[in-house]
Each structure stands twice: as C-alpha cells, then as structure tokens.
C-alpha cells in the first residue's frame, strides 16, 4: 500500500512546485482569502503554506491523508463543472507518502485546533492544539524516502524559480486572493488581493510592465476574453510570459496561443511573443479539461469560435492602443 502510494505520488508530485500547486489549490478550494507560501532550499528542505480558509474538522484530518479521500465531489455533475480545483483526492496522500508533513488546522466552530504529523505516509502524532481559523501545512524533506526521485531534482534556485512561476500564475488567476511568497526568508511576491488584475500584474512584474499593457475585453457568442496584452517593448524571445487562463484556471491551449500570436503579428507586422495575461471564459459544458500532472490542457467543443474571438479581442485591443 505504501509502495503504491509512492509510485502514484510520482504521477502528481514531481518536484517542490507540484506540492505548492496542489496545496495552494487546496487553500483556494477552502475559500482562503490570504495564502502565504514559505520555502527553504528550493522547497526541498521545507515548504510552509498558511491559509485563512475553512480549516479541517478534527475528525477528518487523518482521513484527508488517505488516497481518494476527497471532500469535494458530491456528484458527477460537480466533476463536470469542476467548481473546485482538485477533485481526485490524490494530492495529500501522494505528498505525505514521500515527505514529512505537519498540519495545524482549525475550523471556525471548533473549540481547539488539531495538529497531525505524517511521515512517509504514517501518522506519527495527532493532538489538539491552539490555532487560528485556517490551515497550515509544513512539508519537510521532500523525497527523503525515494532517492531515485530526489536525484532528479534540480538546483535549489531552479526549483525556487518553478515555484515562483506556479505562484505567479495562480495569483493572476485569482486577483481576489492575497498571495505571498517568501523564499529563504525574503518576500518575493505579495499580491494585494483587491480583485484588480492590473494591480496584481504591477505587484508581480513591476511598474514598467504594468505601464506597457493594453486592456483586452471582448465577449462574443458566449466566449468572454479579458485581461492584458503587452506592448512590443515588453515582449520576449520566448513564450514564458504568454499566460492563459480558462474559466479561472491556468491552462495550456494551442488554439488560444496561436490566436494571440497571429493577431499580434498581423497588427504589428513583427513576429514576437507578447506578454499576455489572457482570461478566456466559456460555458463549462463547452470545454473539456484533461488533467495532466504537469500542465492542464483544455479542448473546446468549438475551437474555431474560440480562435476567432481571441484573435478579434487581441486585434481590437491593439488597434485602439497607441504603440
Ligand atoms: P482533493 O483536493 O482532490 O479533494 P487532496 O488530497 O488535495 O484532494 O486533499 C484532500 C482533502 O483534504 C480535501 O478534499 C480537503 O477536504 C482537505 N484539505 C486539504 N487541504 C486543505 C486546506 N488547506 N484547507 C481545508 N481543507 C483541506
Ligand atoms: Mg487538492
């Protein structure tokens, strides 16, 4: 059973950034409005995630570490609507199988909080404790018991960069949540959580970027496109800053990326990879989500409609801007 957990863990948990992604998504699912991620040694030594969300009931804490223990699917309908980020009940069990996890949590109504420590998938401590409402997870010594996986980790600074990237994208997806990232004692991200996408862009990428973005806004045939596209002065030689979100989630979709680049190229007569924070919202039943461990791929029932709408949205934005 434990070996099975360790093998399954590899599919979801590849590196510290995967732990951060899963845990921040859990905090979001728990309605947190403020989330802090603190790491040491690229997250390999420790990852601490503090949220002010709903917390976990005392009796449910140990259960949450079991595979397929999810509190989130109530019906197939829920699954197709994907109202929550996670839905498979895999992440916590996978993380706990390959690290030492400590959790301190308290719900609004509970008299005391609960503290549980799980090492390599086994509960080694469970006790009541004082705690504020919300949940704190500390994941220590990732892959301490899976040397083969440990070996594949990159330099601490590289792992920290992956984490930075995951957190930036989640922060852009959710400008309504204040997200803080502390790397080796230094605060490197702190978004306001004021619902405003431009202030979130400003806080993540700085003044020069925030000044060089053009708002995009178009709704056509049920496809809503919003966000920002950057002026050529902040475009890049690679696609790292082409950030696309579908129905509030960070995704990869070839159709949207191509539409953005083609519109950009046609308007500006130069081939560039524009800085983009583009949100595409479609009726949930018209999008197929294929959950892949590393990235989330989506397919639309009408790819053509999405292509044309994104193309028009970006093209209109550029034609109205002074460049
Ligand atoms: P899933 O998110 O797919 O349900 P996970 O393994 O990620 O599965 O989490 C298992 C369960 O643990 C969740 O369904 C939730 O009930 C609980 N949980 C995990 N993290 C948190 C959190 N930060 N706040 C509240 N509950 C949480
Ligand atoms: Mg989850």
């Amino acid at each position: 059973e434990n070996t099975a957990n360790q093998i399954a863990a590899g599919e979801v948990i590849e590196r510290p950034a995967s732990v951060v992604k899963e845990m921040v998504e859990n905090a979001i699912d728990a309605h947190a409005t403020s989330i802090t991620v603190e790491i040491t040694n690229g997250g390999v030594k420790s990852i601490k995630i503090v949220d002010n969300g709903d917390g976990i009931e005392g009796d449910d804490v140990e259960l949450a570490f079991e595979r397929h223990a999810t509190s989130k699917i109530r019906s197939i309908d829920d699954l197709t609507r994907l109202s929550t980020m996670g839905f498979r009940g895999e992440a916590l069990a996978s993380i706990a199988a390959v690290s030492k996890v400590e959790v301190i949590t308290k719900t609004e109504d509970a008299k005391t909080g609960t503290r549980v420590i799980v090492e390599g998938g086994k509960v080694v401590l469970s006790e009541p404790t004082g705690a504020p409402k919300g949940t704190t997870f500390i994941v220590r010594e990732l892959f301490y018991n899976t040397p083969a996986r440990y070996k594949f980790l990159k330099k601490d600074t590289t792992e920290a960069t992956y984490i930075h990237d995951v957190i930036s994208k989640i922060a852009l997806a959710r400008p309504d949540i204040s997200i803080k990232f502390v790397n080796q004692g230094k605060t490197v991200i702190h978004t306001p959580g004021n619902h405003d996408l431009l202030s979130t862009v400003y806080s993540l990428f700085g003044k020069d970027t925030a000044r060089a973005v053009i708002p995009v806004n178009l709704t056509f045939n049920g496809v809503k496109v919003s966000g920002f596209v950057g002026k050529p002065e902040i475009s890049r030689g690679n696609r790292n800053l082409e950030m696309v979100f579908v129905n509030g989630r960070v995704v990869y979709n070839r159709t949207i990326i191509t539409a953005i680049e083609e519109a950009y190229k046609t308007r500006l007569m130069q081939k560039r990879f524009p800085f983009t924070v583009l949100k595409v919202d479609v009726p949930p039943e018209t999008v197929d989500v294929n959950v892949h461990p590393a990235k989330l791929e989506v397919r639309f029932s009408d790819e053509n409609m999405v292509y044309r709408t994104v193309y028009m949205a970006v093209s209109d934005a550029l034609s109205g801007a002074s460049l």
Side-chain angles (χ1 to χ4, degrees):
E1 153 76 328
N2 205 45
T3 311
N5 274 344
Q6 287 180 3
I7 292 168
E11 291 163 22
V12 199
I13 306 305
E14 213 184 323
R15 51 182 4 105
S18 347
V19 173
V20 170
K21 179 170 183 291
E22 294 291 341
M23 292 219 159
V24 171
E25 289 182 348
N26 280 343
I28 292 173
D29 286 345
H31 312 102
T33 56
S34 161
I35 303 171
T36 298
V37 180
E38 265 183 76
I39 64 163
T40 58
N41 293 24
V44 183
K45 191 167 172 207
S46 74
I47 298 169
K48 181 177 179 185
I49 295 174
V50 184
D51 76 50
N52 67 347
D54 300 334
I56 308 173
E57 299 281 356
D59 290 344
D60 294 339
V61 179
E62 290 181 43
L63 189 71
F65 284 94
E66 278 167 36
R67 195 162 295 280
H68 304 304
T70 176
S71 56
K72 295 172 194 168
I73 305 181
R74 270 152 222 102
S75 67
I76 289 295
D77 210 37
D78 266 8
L79 212 156
T80 48
R81 247 189 278 119
L82 268 181
S83 49
T84 56
M85 312 288 284
F87 55 90
R88 295 163 301 163
E90 296 254 312
L92 219 49
S94 297
I95 294 163
V98 296
S99 68
K100 301 175 181 177
V101 181
E102 174 175 353
V103 57
I104 295 169
T105 184
K106 187 183 164 302
T107 60
E108 179 102 73
D109 299 336
K111 284 204 188 66
T112 74
T114 307
R115 175 166 175 254
V116 168
I117 298 181
V118 180
E119 293 187 357
K122 292 197 170 56
V123 177
V124 299
L125 180 132
S126 179
E127 63 178 19
T129 183
K133 179 199 166 228
T135 304
T136 295
F137 274 101
I138 307 170
V139 177
R140 298 186 174 92
E141 294 178 58
L142 186 64
F143 302 145
Y144 81 100
N145 56 353
T146 50
R149 191 149 301 140
Y150 183 88
K151 211 177 63 191
F152 277 100
L153 292 172
K154 299 190 178 152
K155 296 200 301 271
D156 289 355
T157 50
T158 308
E159 295 297 342
T161 303
Y162 290 139
I163 293 173
H164 193 282
D165 188 57
V166 161
I167 295 175
S168 307
K169 284 177 179 158
I170 294 175
L172 290 166
R174 298 300 301 262
D176 55 325
I177 302 177
S178 172
I179 300 187
K180 186 168 163 182
F181 175 38
V182 181
N183 181 9
Q184 219 66 34
K186 191 169 169 250
T187 299
V188 287
I189 289 177
H190 196 174
T191 63
N194 65 353
H195 294 78
D196 179 44
L197 186 60
L198 187 58
S199 351
T200 308
V201 167
Y202 183 112
S203 116
L204 290 169
F205 301 102
K207 186 173 66 187
D208 292 345
T209 298
R211 273 197 187 142
V213 297
I214 302 155
V216 177
N217 224 316
L218 181 75
T219 303
F220 187 68
N221 270 349
V223 181
K224 175 171 183 263
V225 184
S226 63
F228 297 98
V229 59
K231 293 181 180 177
E233 66 214 58
I234 56 165
S235 62
R236 293 285 179 103
N238 60 53
R239 294 196 163 91
N240 289 350
L241 293 179
E242 294 183 0
M243 297 166 283
V244 172
F245 305 82
V246 170
N247 292 0
R249 310 180 60 161
V250 183
V251 302
Y252 176 78
N253 177 267
R254 188 76 229 144
T255 301
I256 295 174
I257 291 290
T258 309
I260 295 168
E261 290 177 1
E262 284 297 313
Y264 208 76
K265 195 172 90 184
T266 306
R267 277 281 166 210
L268 303 176
M269 310 216 283
Q270 47 185 308
K271 175 122 185 70
R272 294 274 184 90
F273 300 119
F275 173 95
T276 24
V277 178
L278 209 72
K279 308 215 169 176
V280 178
D281 293 296
V282 298
E285 64 276 12
T286 66
V287 57
D288 204 23
V289 181
N290 173 19
V291 184
H292 183 273
K295 59 186 175 194
L296 199 55
E297 299 197 16
V298 294
R299 202 165 301 140
F300 300 101
S301 55
D302 192 346
E303 293 273 331
N304 239 315
M305 175 62 69
V306 172
Y307 180 91
R308 278 183 290 155
T309 310
V310 171
Y311 184 97
M312 266 192 292
V314 173
S315 188
D316 283 4
L318 292 171
S319 71
S322 59
L323 297 167

